[in-house]
Amino acid sequence: MPDGLWQGWIEFLSADGSEALRSARETTQPNRTDVEYWATGLTNVYLEGSLQRALKPLRIAPDPSVPPPIFDGPAADIEELLDPTPDAILNPFSVYRKGEGILRNQLAAFSPWHLVNIIRAHGLSADPPSVLSVLPAADLIEIIVAGVRHQLTAIE
Protein backbone atom coordinates (compact mmCIF):
# COMPACT_ATOMS: atom_id res chain seq x y z
CA MET A 1 0.00 0.00 0.00
CA PRO A 2 1.25 3.61 -0.49
CA ASP A 3 1.82 3.99 3.25
CA GLY A 4 4.06 0.91 3.36
CA LEU A 5 1.52 -1.40 4.98
CA TRP A 6 0.53 -4.74 3.47
CA GLN A 7 -3.02 -5.92 2.96
CA GLY A 8 -4.22 -9.48 2.71
CA TRP A 9 -7.22 -10.93 0.92
CA ILE A 10 -8.31 -14.42 0.02
CA GLU A 11 -8.67 -15.72 -3.52
CA PHE A 12 -11.05 -18.58 -4.22
CA LEU A 13 -10.38 -20.78 -7.25
CA SER A 14 -13.01 -23.26 -8.40
CA ALA A 15 -12.14 -26.88 -9.17
CA ASP A 16 -13.98 -26.70 -12.52
CA GLY A 17 -12.03 -23.68 -13.78
CA SER A 18 -14.89 -21.18 -13.59
CA GLU A 19 -14.31 -17.58 -12.59
CA ALA A 20 -12.19 -16.95 -9.52
CA LEU A 21 -13.45 -14.88 -6.58
CA ARG A 22 -11.58 -12.70 -4.15
CA SER A 23 -12.55 -11.26 -0.83
CA ALA A 24 -12.31 -7.70 0.23
CA ARG A 25 -9.32 -6.83 2.41
CA GLU A 26 -9.21 -9.27 5.29
CA THR A 27 -6.17 -7.88 7.13
CA THR A 28 -3.64 -5.06 7.14
CA GLN A 29 -0.15 -5.84 8.40
CA PRO A 30 3.11 -3.88 8.66
CA ASN A 31 5.03 -6.25 6.34
CA ARG A 32 4.76 -9.28 4.07
CA THR A 33 6.06 -11.66 6.72
CA ASP A 34 3.21 -10.69 9.05
CA VAL A 35 0.63 -11.17 6.26
CA GLU A 36 2.02 -14.68 5.63
CA TYR A 37 1.91 -15.41 9.35
CA TRP A 38 -1.72 -14.19 9.49
CA ALA A 39 -2.61 -16.53 6.62
CA THR A 40 -1.23 -19.57 8.48
CA GLY A 41 -3.83 -19.06 11.21
CA LEU A 42 -6.89 -19.14 8.94
CA THR A 43 -9.45 -21.77 9.91
CA ASN A 44 -12.13 -23.48 7.83
CA VAL A 45 -14.80 -21.45 9.60
CA TYR A 46 -12.98 -18.20 8.77
CA LEU A 47 -12.56 -19.28 5.12
CA GLU A 48 -16.29 -20.16 4.86
CA GLY A 49 -17.19 -16.71 6.19
CA SER A 50 -14.77 -15.05 3.77
CA LEU A 51 -16.27 -17.02 0.86
CA GLN A 52 -19.78 -15.90 1.88
CA ARG A 53 -18.57 -12.28 2.03
CA ALA A 54 -17.02 -12.68 -1.44
CA LEU A 55 -20.21 -14.19 -2.87
CA LYS A 56 -22.45 -11.61 -1.23
CA PRO A 57 -20.42 -8.48 -0.63
CA LEU A 58 -21.78 -5.81 1.65
CA ARG A 59 -23.47 -3.18 -0.45
CA ILE A 60 -23.79 0.29 0.92
CA ALA A 61 -26.63 2.28 -0.56
CA PRO A 62 -25.71 5.77 -1.64
CA ASP A 63 -26.96 8.57 0.57
CA PRO A 64 -30.41 9.61 -0.58
CA SER A 65 -30.45 13.08 -1.94
CA VAL A 66 -31.42 15.44 0.82
CA PRO A 67 -33.25 18.53 -0.41
CA PRO A 68 -31.94 21.87 0.81
CA PRO A 69 -33.81 23.43 3.73
CA ILE A 70 -36.56 25.91 2.92
CA PHE A 71 -35.95 28.05 5.98
CA ASP A 72 -32.74 29.53 7.37
CA GLY A 73 -33.50 28.35 10.89
CA PRO A 74 -36.15 26.93 13.21
CA ALA A 75 -39.41 28.68 14.04
CA ALA A 76 -39.41 30.96 17.04
CA ASP A 77 -40.22 29.33 20.36
CA ILE A 78 -42.65 32.14 21.14
CA GLU A 79 -44.51 34.10 18.54
CA GLU A 80 -44.68 37.75 19.40
CA LEU A 81 -47.93 39.44 18.48
CA LEU A 82 -47.77 43.16 17.88
CA ASP A 83 -51.40 43.77 18.80
CA PRO A 84 -52.88 40.60 20.29
CA THR A 85 -56.63 40.27 20.47
CA PRO A 86 -57.49 40.14 24.17
CA ASP A 87 -59.77 37.67 25.82
CA ALA A 88 -62.90 39.40 27.06
CA ILE A 89 -64.05 38.55 30.55
CA LEU A 90 -67.69 39.09 29.59
CA ASN A 91 -69.84 38.92 26.46
CA PRO A 92 -71.68 42.26 26.54
CA PHE A 93 -74.18 41.19 23.89
CA SER A 94 -75.60 38.29 25.88
CA VAL A 95 -75.82 40.41 29.06
CA TYR A 96 -77.42 43.36 27.19
CA ARG A 97 -80.23 41.05 26.05
CA LYS A 98 -81.10 40.60 29.75
CA GLY A 99 -81.27 44.36 30.14
CA GLU A 100 -79.10 47.42 29.68
CA GLY A 101 -79.14 48.12 33.42
CA ILE A 102 -77.80 44.63 34.16
CA LEU A 103 -75.02 45.18 31.64
CA ARG A 104 -74.09 48.54 33.19
CA ASN A 105 -74.03 47.03 36.70
CA GLN A 106 -71.79 44.15 35.63
CA LEU A 107 -69.44 46.44 33.69
CA ALA A 108 -69.12 48.73 36.73
CA ALA A 109 -67.49 45.85 38.62
CA PHE A 110 -64.59 45.62 36.17
CA SER A 111 -61.31 47.49 36.10
CA PRO A 112 -60.65 49.83 33.16
CA TRP A 113 -58.24 47.38 31.51
CA HIS A 114 -60.96 44.69 31.56
CA LEU A 115 -63.30 47.17 29.90
CA VAL A 116 -60.69 47.97 27.23
CA ASN A 117 -60.32 44.22 26.56
CA ILE A 118 -64.10 43.87 26.16
CA ILE A 119 -64.16 46.78 23.71
CA ARG A 120 -61.27 45.39 21.67
CA ALA A 121 -62.43 41.77 21.71
CA HIS A 122 -65.88 42.68 20.39
CA GLY A 123 -64.83 45.48 18.04
CA LEU A 124 -66.88 48.14 19.82
CA SER A 125 -64.54 51.03 19.01
CA ALA A 126 -62.11 51.94 16.26
CA ASP A 127 -59.87 53.74 18.77
CA PRO A 128 -56.50 52.08 19.43
CA PRO A 129 -55.74 50.60 22.87
CA SER A 130 -53.43 53.54 23.66
CA VAL A 131 -56.42 55.93 23.44
CA LEU A 132 -58.88 53.65 25.23
CA SER A 133 -56.53 52.86 28.13
CA VAL A 134 -56.44 56.50 29.30
CA LEU A 135 -60.22 56.88 29.45
CA PRO A 136 -62.06 56.62 32.77
CA ALA A 137 -64.17 53.53 33.45
CA ALA A 138 -67.44 55.50 33.03
CA ASP A 139 -66.47 56.50 29.46
CA LEU A 140 -65.45 52.93 28.63
CA ILE A 141 -68.81 51.63 29.89
CA GLU A 142 -70.58 54.14 27.64
CA ILE A 143 -68.53 52.98 24.65
CA ILE A 144 -69.48 49.36 25.36
CA VAL A 145 -73.19 50.02 25.90
CA ALA A 146 -73.46 52.32 22.86
CA GLY A 147 -71.52 49.86 20.67
CA VAL A 148 -73.66 46.89 21.72
CA ARG A 149 -76.87 48.87 21.30
CA HIS A 150 -75.79 50.05 17.84
CA GLN A 151 -74.81 46.58 16.63
CA LEU A 152 -77.94 44.89 17.99
CA THR A 153 -80.31 47.50 16.54
CA ALA A 154 -78.55 47.19 13.18
CA ILE A 155 -79.32 43.45 13.21
CA GLU A 156 -82.98 43.82 14.21
Side-chain angles (χ1 to χ4, degrees):
M1 294 173 47
D3 59 1
L5 296 175
W6 286 69
Q7 57 184 337
W9 63 91
I10 301 172
E11 295 180 356
F12 298 95
L13 305 174
S14 69
D16 63 4
S18 60
E19 186 177 344
L21 289 174
R22 68 177 165 176
S23 71
R25 180 176 56 211
E26 299 282 346
T27 187
T28 303
Q29 300 293 332
N31 54 55
R32 180 183 175 113
T33 303
D34 288 347
V35 172
E36 289 173 351
Y37 178 76
W38 168 82
T40 63
L42 296 177
T43 65
N44 285 339
V45 171
Y46 187 92
L47 291 171
E48 286 175 16
S50 180
L51 177 60
Q52 288 305 312
R53 290 189 296 277
L55 291 170
K56 296 180 183 175
L58 178 64
R59 301 200 190 280
I60 299 174
D63 288 342
S65 129
V66 177
I70 296 171
F71 300 99
D72 291 334
D77 291 334
I78 299 172
E79 184 177 340
E80 291 185 33
L81 299 175
L82 297 177
D83 189 18
T85 302
D87 292 328
I89 196 166
L90 168 132
N91 182 337
F93 294 94
S94 65
V95 177
Y96 184 86
R97 287 186 179 101
K98 297 174 187 172
E100 184 177 314
I102 295 172
L103 176 59
R104 286 181 180 278
N105 287 338
Q106 288 191 10
L107 291 173
F110 296 128
S111 66
W113 69 270
H114 277 119
L115 298 172
V116 170
N117 284 347
I118 292 169
I119 292 168
R120 292 183 58 222
H122 294 281
L124 300 174
S125 173
D127 291 329
S130 59
V131 171
L132 295 172
S133 63
V134 296
L135 295 176
D139 290 351
L140 296 170
I141 291 171
E142 289 306 317
I143 291 172
I144 294 170
V145 172
V148 170
R149 186 184 311 121
H150 174 73
Q151 288 187 28
L152 287 178
T153 55
I155 294 172
E156 295 170 353

Short mmCIF file of all heavy atoms in Angstrom, two decimals, residues 85-116:
data_model
loop_
_atom_site.label_atom_id
_atom_site.label_comp_id
_atom_site.label_asym_id
_atom_site.label_seq_id
_atom_site.Cartn_x
_atom_site.Cartn_y
_atom_site.Cartn_z
N THR A 85 -55.22 40.09 20.14
CA THR A 85 -56.63 40.27 20.47
C THR A 85 -56.83 39.73 21.88
O THR A 85 -56.52 38.59 22.17
CB THR A 85 -57.52 39.48 19.49
OG1 THR A 85 -57.22 39.96 18.18
CG2 THR A 85 -58.98 39.69 19.79
N PRO A 86 -57.34 40.57 22.78
CA PRO A 86 -57.49 40.14 24.17
C PRO A 86 -58.68 39.21 24.35
O PRO A 86 -59.58 39.16 23.52
CB PRO A 86 -57.74 41.46 24.90
CG PRO A 86 -58.41 42.32 23.88
CD PRO A 86 -57.80 41.94 22.56
N ASP A 87 -58.62 38.48 25.44
CA ASP A 87 -59.77 37.67 25.82
C ASP A 87 -60.68 38.55 26.68
O ASP A 87 -60.23 39.17 27.62
CB ASP A 87 -59.33 36.45 26.65
CG ASP A 87 -58.55 35.46 25.80
OD1 ASP A 87 -58.84 35.36 24.60
OD2 ASP A 87 -57.65 34.80 26.35
N ALA A 88 -61.94 38.59 26.29
CA ALA A 88 -62.90 39.40 27.06
C ALA A 88 -63.42 38.57 28.22
O ALA A 88 -63.68 37.38 28.09
CB ALA A 88 -64.04 39.85 26.17
N ILE A 89 -63.59 39.22 29.35
CA ILE A 89 -64.05 38.55 30.55
C ILE A 89 -65.57 38.39 30.54
O ILE A 89 -66.13 37.63 31.32
CB ILE A 89 -63.58 39.33 31.80
CG1 ILE A 89 -63.69 38.50 33.05
CG2 ILE A 89 -64.29 40.65 31.93
CD1 ILE A 89 -62.95 39.08 34.22
N LEU A 90 -66.23 39.09 29.62
CA LEU A 90 -67.69 39.09 29.59
C LEU A 90 -68.14 39.31 28.15
O LEU A 90 -67.51 40.04 27.40
CB LEU A 90 -68.19 40.22 30.49
CG LEU A 90 -69.65 40.62 30.43
CD1 LEU A 90 -70.21 40.71 31.84
CD2 LEU A 90 -69.79 41.96 29.75
N ASN A 91 -69.24 38.67 27.77
CA ASN A 91 -69.84 38.92 26.46
C ASN A 91 -70.94 39.95 26.66
O ASN A 91 -72.02 39.63 27.17
CB ASN A 91 -70.42 37.63 25.87
CG ASN A 91 -71.00 37.84 24.49
OD1 ASN A 91 -71.37 38.96 24.11
ND2 ASN A 91 -71.12 36.76 23.74
N PRO A 92 -70.71 41.21 26.26
CA PRO A 92 -71.68 42.26 26.54
C PRO A 92 -72.99 42.08 25.78
O PRO A 92 -74.04 42.56 26.21
CB PRO A 92 -70.96 43.54 26.11
CG PRO A 92 -69.96 43.10 25.10
CD PRO A 92 -69.55 41.72 25.53
N PHE A 93 -72.96 41.38 24.67
CA PHE A 93 -74.18 41.19 23.89
C PHE A 93 -75.18 40.29 24.61
O PHE A 93 -76.37 40.58 24.66
CB PHE A 93 -73.84 40.62 22.50
CG PHE A 93 -73.05 41.57 21.65
CD1 PHE A 93 -71.67 41.53 21.61
CD2 PHE A 93 -73.69 42.54 20.89
CE1 PHE A 93 -70.95 42.43 20.85
CE2 PHE A 93 -72.99 43.44 20.11
CZ PHE A 93 -71.60 43.38 20.09
N SER A 94 -74.67 39.20 25.18
CA SER A 94 -75.60 38.29 25.88
C SER A 94 -76.15 38.95 27.15
O SER A 94 -77.32 38.77 27.50
CB SER A 94 -74.92 36.96 26.20
OG SER A 94 -73.87 37.15 27.10
N VAL A 95 -75.34 39.74 27.84
CA VAL A 95 -75.82 40.41 29.06
C VAL A 95 -76.79 41.53 28.70
O VAL A 95 -77.82 41.73 29.37
CB VAL A 95 -74.63 40.96 29.89
CG1 VAL A 95 -75.13 41.71 31.12
CG2 VAL A 95 -73.69 39.81 30.31
N TYR A 96 -76.54 42.25 27.62
CA TYR A 96 -77.42 43.36 27.19
C TYR A 96 -78.83 42.84 26.90
O TYR A 96 -79.82 43.51 27.19
CB TYR A 96 -76.84 44.04 25.95
CG TYR A 96 -77.62 45.24 25.50
CD1 TYR A 96 -77.39 46.50 26.05
CD2 TYR A 96 -78.63 45.14 24.53
CE1 TYR A 96 -78.09 47.61 25.64
CE2 TYR A 96 -79.34 46.23 24.11
CZ TYR A 96 -79.08 47.47 24.67
OH TYR A 96 -79.79 48.58 24.27
N ARG A 97 -78.92 41.64 26.36
CA ARG A 97 -80.23 41.05 26.05
C ARG A 97 -81.06 40.83 27.32
O ARG A 97 -82.28 40.76 27.27
CB ARG A 97 -80.06 39.76 25.27
CG ARG A 97 -79.61 39.99 23.83
CD ARG A 97 -79.58 38.71 23.01
NE ARG A 97 -79.18 38.98 21.65
CZ ARG A 97 -77.96 38.78 21.16
NH1 ARG A 97 -77.02 38.28 21.93
NH2 ARG A 97 -77.68 39.07 19.91
N LYS A 98 -80.39 40.74 28.47
CA LYS A 98 -81.10 40.60 29.75
C LYS A 98 -81.52 41.96 30.29
O LYS A 98 -82.32 42.04 31.21
CB LYS A 98 -80.20 39.88 30.77
CG LYS A 98 -79.85 38.46 30.36
CD LYS A 98 -78.85 37.85 31.33
CE LYS A 98 -78.39 36.49 30.82
NZ LYS A 98 -77.31 35.95 31.60
N GLY A 99 -80.90 43.00 29.73
CA GLY A 99 -81.27 44.36 30.14
C GLY A 99 -80.04 45.24 30.17
O GLY A 99 -78.97 44.82 30.62
N GLU A 100 -80.23 46.48 29.70
CA GLU A 100 -79.10 47.42 29.68
C GLU A 100 -78.61 47.74 31.08
O GLU A 100 -77.42 47.87 31.31
CB GLU A 100 -79.51 48.72 28.96
CG GLU A 100 -78.38 49.69 28.80
CD GLU A 100 -78.76 50.94 28.04
OE1 GLU A 100 -79.41 50.83 26.98
OE2 GLU A 100 -78.37 52.03 28.50
N GLY A 101 -79.52 47.83 32.03
CA GLY A 101 -79.14 48.12 33.42
C GLY A 101 -78.28 47.01 33.99
O GLY A 101 -77.32 47.28 34.73
N ILE A 102 -78.61 45.76 33.67
CA ILE A 102 -77.80 44.63 34.16
C ILE A 102 -76.40 44.71 33.56
O ILE A 102 -75.40 44.51 34.27
CB ILE A 102 -78.49 43.28 33.82
CG1 ILE A 102 -79.82 43.17 34.57
CG2 ILE A 102 -77.58 42.10 34.12
CD1 ILE A 102 -80.66 41.99 34.17
N LEU A 103 -76.34 45.05 32.27
CA LEU A 103 -75.02 45.18 31.64
C LEU A 103 -74.20 46.28 32.31
O LEU A 103 -73.04 46.08 32.65
CB LEU A 103 -75.16 45.48 30.14
CG LEU A 103 -73.84 45.74 29.38
CD1 LEU A 103 -72.91 44.54 29.48
CD2 LEU A 103 -74.13 46.11 27.94
N ARG A 104 -74.81 47.43 32.56
CA ARG A 104 -74.09 48.54 33.19
C ARG A 104 -73.59 48.14 34.58
O ARG A 104 -72.48 48.47 34.96
CB ARG A 104 -74.99 49.78 33.28
CG ARG A 104 -75.19 50.46 31.94
CD ARG A 104 -76.07 51.72 32.10
NE ARG A 104 -76.28 52.36 30.81
CZ ARG A 104 -75.40 53.19 30.24
NH1 ARG A 104 -74.27 53.47 30.86
NH2 ARG A 104 -75.66 53.72 29.07
N ASN A 105 -74.45 47.45 35.36
CA ASN A 105 -74.03 47.03 36.70
C ASN A 105 -72.84 46.06 36.65
O ASN A 105 -71.92 46.16 37.46
CB ASN A 105 -75.20 46.37 37.44
CG ASN A 105 -76.24 47.38 37.89
OD1 ASN A 105 -75.95 48.57 38.01
ND2 ASN A 105 -77.46 46.92 38.11
N GLN A 106 -72.90 45.12 35.72
CA GLN A 106 -71.79 44.15 35.63
C GLN A 106 -70.51 44.83 35.15
O GLN A 106 -69.42 44.54 35.65
CB GLN A 106 -72.17 42.98 34.71
CG GLN A 106 -73.19 42.06 35.37
CD GLN A 106 -73.40 40.77 34.60
OE1 GLN A 106 -72.66 40.45 33.67
NE2 GLN A 106 -74.41 40.02 34.99
N LEU A 107 -70.63 45.74 34.19
CA LEU A 107 -69.44 46.44 33.69
C LEU A 107 -68.80 47.31 34.78
O LEU A 107 -67.58 47.47 34.82
CB LEU A 107 -69.80 47.30 32.48
CG LEU A 107 -70.18 46.53 31.20
CD1 LEU A 107 -70.67 47.51 30.13
CD2 LEU A 107 -69.01 45.70 30.69
N ALA A 108 -69.63 47.87 35.67
CA ALA A 108 -69.12 48.73 36.73
C ALA A 108 -68.21 47.97 37.70
O ALA A 108 -67.40 48.57 38.40
CB ALA A 108 -70.28 49.38 37.48
N ALA A 109 -68.31 46.66 37.72
CA ALA A 109 -67.49 45.85 38.62
C ALA A 109 -66.08 45.60 38.07
O ALA A 109 -65.21 45.12 38.80
CB ALA A 109 -68.19 44.52 38.89
N PHE A 110 -65.88 45.92 36.80
CA PHE A 110 -64.59 45.62 36.17
C PHE A 110 -63.63 46.80 36.22
O PHE A 110 -64.05 47.96 36.25
CB PHE A 110 -64.78 45.20 34.71
CG PHE A 110 -65.55 43.91 34.55
CD1 PHE A 110 -66.64 43.86 33.70
CD2 PHE A 110 -65.19 42.77 35.23
CE1 PHE A 110 -67.35 42.69 33.53
CE2 PHE A 110 -65.90 41.60 35.08
CZ PHE A 110 -66.98 41.55 34.22
N SER A 111 -62.34 46.45 36.17
CA SER A 111 -61.31 47.49 36.10
C SER A 111 -61.28 48.05 34.68
O SER A 111 -61.76 47.41 33.74
CB SER A 111 -59.95 46.90 36.46
OG SER A 111 -59.57 45.95 35.46
N PRO A 112 -60.71 49.24 34.51
CA PRO A 112 -60.65 49.83 33.16
C PRO A 112 -59.96 48.93 32.12
O PRO A 112 -60.39 48.86 30.98
CB PRO A 112 -59.88 51.13 33.38
CG PRO A 112 -60.19 51.51 34.79
CD PRO A 112 -60.25 50.19 35.53
N TRP A 113 -58.91 48.22 32.51
CA TRP A 113 -58.24 47.38 31.51
C TRP A 113 -59.11 46.21 31.07
O TRP A 113 -59.04 45.78 29.93
CB TRP A 113 -56.84 46.94 31.97
CG TRP A 113 -56.78 45.97 33.11
CD1 TRP A 113 -56.71 46.27 34.42
CD2 TRP A 113 -56.75 44.54 33.02
NE1 TRP A 113 -56.66 45.13 35.17
CE2 TRP A 113 -56.67 44.04 34.33
CE3 TRP A 113 -56.77 43.64 31.97
CZ2 TRP A 113 -56.63 42.69 34.61
CZ3 TRP A 113 -56.72 42.29 32.25
CH2 TRP A 113 -56.66 41.82 33.57
N HIS A 114 -59.99 45.71 31.98
CA HIS A 114 -60.96 44.69 31.56
C HIS A 114 -61.94 45.29 30.55
O HIS A 114 -62.31 44.63 29.57
CB HIS A 114 -61.75 44.14 32.76
CG HIS A 114 -61.03 43.07 33.51
ND1 HIS A 114 -60.70 43.21 34.83
CD2 HIS A 114 -60.59 41.84 33.14
CE1 HIS A 114 -60.10 42.12 35.25
NE2 HIS A 114 -60.01 41.27 34.23
N LEU A 115 -62.37 46.50 30.80
CA LEU A 115 -63.30 47.17 29.90
C LEU A 115 -62.68 47.40 28.52
O LEU A 115 -63.33 47.20 27.49
CB LEU A 115 -63.78 48.49 30.52
CG LEU A 115 -64.55 48.35 31.85
CD1 LEU A 115 -64.79 49.73 32.47
CD2 LEU A 115 -65.84 47.59 31.66
N VAL A 116 -61.40 47.79 28.51
CA VAL A 116 -60.69 47.97 27.23
C VAL A 116 -60.63 46.64 26.48
O VAL A 116 -60.85 46.57 25.27
CB VAL A 116 -59.28 48.55 27.46
CG1 VAL A 116 -58.46 48.52 26.17
CG2 VAL A 116 -59.37 49.98 28.00
#
